[in-house]
Amino acid sequence: MRFAARLLSATLLVLLLGLVVLLWTADRLLRRDLERDMAVTLERQAVLIREAVPSEPAQAQQQLHQMAAQAGLRITLIAPDGTVVAESDYATYPLPPLQNHADRPEVREALQGRTGVARRQSETVGRALLYVAIPGGPGVVRVASDLSQVNALVRRAQLAVATAALVALLIGTLASLITARSIARPLTALGAAARAIAAGDRPRFPRSGIPDIDALVQTLRDMHHQLADRFDALRHGQAESAALVEAMVEGVLAADGKGRILTANSAARRLLGYRPEEALPDLQELFRVKGARDVVSQVTQGVVVEGRELELDGRMLLVSARPLNSGGAVLVLHDVTDVRRLEAVRRDFVANVSHELKTPLTSIAGYAETLVSDRPDEVTSGRFLEIILGNARRMQHLVDDLLDLSRIESGRWQPRKEPVDIAEVAREAWAPLAERAAQRHMELSVDVDNDASVVPADPEGLRQVLTNLFDNALRYAPAGGTVAVHTARQEGGLAVMVSDSGPGIPHEHLSRVFERFYRVDTSRSREEGGTGLGLAIVRHLVEAHGGTVRAESEVGEGTTITCWFPPT
Ligand code: ADP
């Protein structure tokens, strides 16, 4: 039942109970008082009658009849033995035989010399009467009056009380209705405010004017503010954590106890090949690789997995997994592809350098040993010493190239850019090679347009780039060929192209010739005195300028190496 209805029904019940009690009390008390008054009056009248009634029975009978008719009473004279001497109800004398009245309580009292009062239904007249009997006359004088008057009075009084009570009931109902509403309305509004808080909406707090309810409202308002503050702090913290996880280079995945993915940062999506908005399958179906599935099954059984290296779609991933107390799991994917590649590069580099040094060193050691032990003739010794010198130069060449490469790679060398005339630098770079070129009947052709003749570059760096490219062209192109330098404006920068009419480089090698120690034909390169580092140095020098390198070639038709330099 609602609060207002309850309050109303309780008030009505109380008012109704009050009314019943009031009516009952009115009946009892009023009747008692009225009857008492009536008894006093009747007693006084009985005394008067006792004095006025003649002793002769016939006369007494007649007088009694008249007096009773005037006063509206019933008067009875009773002998000490209970016999009725005179009775006002009868007009004539003698009386018909009447019941003996000695056993009537009021008569009994009066016969003992006291005033007797009794209230009962008269057997003679059939109505409720009040009897008062006093000693005197022939024995007892008894006066009786009809109680209907008293009843009428009591009923009138009850009616008045009932009317008043009804009015009170109406007013009470109205008052309790207003009160109930004034209490219930703010309470209902308070309930709505509490529901709004629970739903995360903005609550509207009521103002009741009732101090107790206002205190409750204030408490709820304070609670709401505290909750809002805590939620804010929580949201803030959550947003920070989410941003942190999102910004992580490592892929982070969190799943609940049923394997549903709750969090997957962009790195995780990228590593697993899912688009940002794409729905992720459950953890159990997330990986296609068996090793990764094993990690998932272990972590879902509560086992911590630390850094397991797996290959996933060509990438090397270090996968760590940790079960959560709540039943889910967190997986961290660390992409170590680059690290592993660099490790491999380093390993290969050491192996390559060792190998490159080993060949001339073995040769030097062999010839030196023969010189020491066999002491060959002068001509042979001279030949051996030349071989030793050649190998030593080759080693020096290699070490020089390695030092250059390391200087550029480490960032210690920075290009000092200035406008450089390409044709001039090309001729400078060609000069030391000119004798070798002449022996092979090869010529340099420089074809540079006026609007593409100057490049913003480090002059020394550019000279070395061109030297290396000319050196390759001289080594690989057959005798009588040409080496040409062209330039062109490209993408806002300037492209310098060195072409030769050599054997070319097969397509499958083109992308790799700029790697250190990468050779298309290892023995030929060594024979020609190459270190396998020439193009790697070219690439690093150009990239240090912010530029790019590209090799284009058709087997049998020649090779063009393009170095693109950005505008300043
Ligand atoms: P190398 O010292 O062996 O020439 P480079 O780094 O200069 O090392 O070149 C890498 C490889 O690319 C060479 O071994 C060669 O096989 C190939 N190459 C470079 N330039 C040319 C060219 N102009 N014509 C044909 N092949 C070339």
Side-chain angles (χ1 to χ4, degrees), residues 302-323:
V303 180
V304 176
V305 181
E306 292 282 6
R308 185 151 322 156
E309 197 161 325
L310 303 167
E311 198 184 330
L312 216 84
D313 300 331
R315 301 201 74 82
M316 293 308 295
L317 297 186
L318 211 58
V319 182
S320 299
R322 200 165 273 276

Side-chain angles (χ1 to χ4, degrees), residues 74 104 118-131 142 146-147 151:
R74 186 180 158 210
R104 307 288 199 271
R119 177 186 188 285
R120 69 174 173 277
Q121 199 77 10
S122 161
E123 287 170 20
T124 323
V125 292
R127 287 195 309 270
L129 296 177
L130 186 70
Y131 296 93
R142 191 183 73 170
D146 200 331
L147 276 174
N151 285 341

Side-chain angles (χ1 to χ4, degrees), residues 23-74:
L23 290 176
W24 183 80
T25 315
D27 179 66
R28 290 279 139 175
L29 293 182
L30 201 63
R31 191 177 290 280
R32 198 187 63 195
D33 285 355
L34 284 173
E35 282 182 9
R36 197 184 292 148
D37 286 355
M38 197 179 215
V40 170
T41 312
L42 286 177
E43 189 183 354
R44 272 191 212 128
Q45 283 173 334
V47 171
L48 287 176
I49 290 163
R50 184 176 66 191
E51 301 310 322
V53 172
S55 53
E56 199 273 317
Q59 278 183 353
Q61 173 62 38
Q62 196 185 357
Q63 199 165 340
L64 275 191
H65 184 69
Q66 282 171 3
M67 284 166 79
Q70 281 165 6
L73 300 170
R74 186 180 158 210

Side-chain angles (χ1 to χ4, degrees), residues 341-416:
R341 195 176 51 76
L342 282 176
E343 280 171 4
V345 167
R346 191 179 52 81
R347 264 198 311 274
D348 290 353
F349 181 72
V350 172
N352 278 324
V353 171
S354 314
H355 187 73
E356 293 297 327
L357 289 172
K358 198 178 163 215
T359 318
L361 255 181
T362 313
S363 174
I364 289 171
Y367 285 106
E369 254 173 42
T370 315
L371 280 177
V372 171
S373 58
D374 295 0
R375 303 274 168 193
D377 57 66
E378 210 170 303
V379 180
T380 314
S381 297
R383 202 159 43 84
F384 282 10
L385 283 171
E386 263 174 31
I387 294 172
I388 290 173
L389 187 64
N391 278 305
R393 284 210 177 113
R394 196 170 140 194
M395 281 172 67
Q396 194 179 6
H397 189 186
L398 180 70
V399 171
D400 285 347
D401 276 359
L402 279 172
L403 286 174
D404 281 349
L405 198 61
S406 119
R407 204 157 48 90
I408 306 161
E409 264 188 337
S410 67
R412 269 181 287 134
W413 183 83
Q414 287 296 326
R416 270 184 293 203

Side-chain angles (χ1 to χ4, degrees), residues 418-428 446 448-450 452-457 459 462 466 487 494:
E418 56 182 77
V420 180
D421 186 318
I422 297 163
E424 198 181 311
V425 176
R427 274 188 283 274
E428 272 173 32
V446 180
V448 175
D449 284 348
N450 273 350
S453 63
V454 175
V455 64
L462 184 61
L466 292 175
T487 59
L494 196 99

Side-chain angles (χ1 to χ4, degrees), residues 42 57 71 73 95 98 133 164 259 263-264 274 295 315 320 349 394 425 451 464 507 513 516:
L42 286 177
L73 300 170
L95 297 172
L98 290 171
T263 309
Y274 289 97
V295 172
R315 301 201 74 82
S320 299
F349 181 72
R394 196 170 140 194
V425 176
D451 65 332
Q464 193 173 353
H507 276 246
V513 289
R516 287 176 295 194

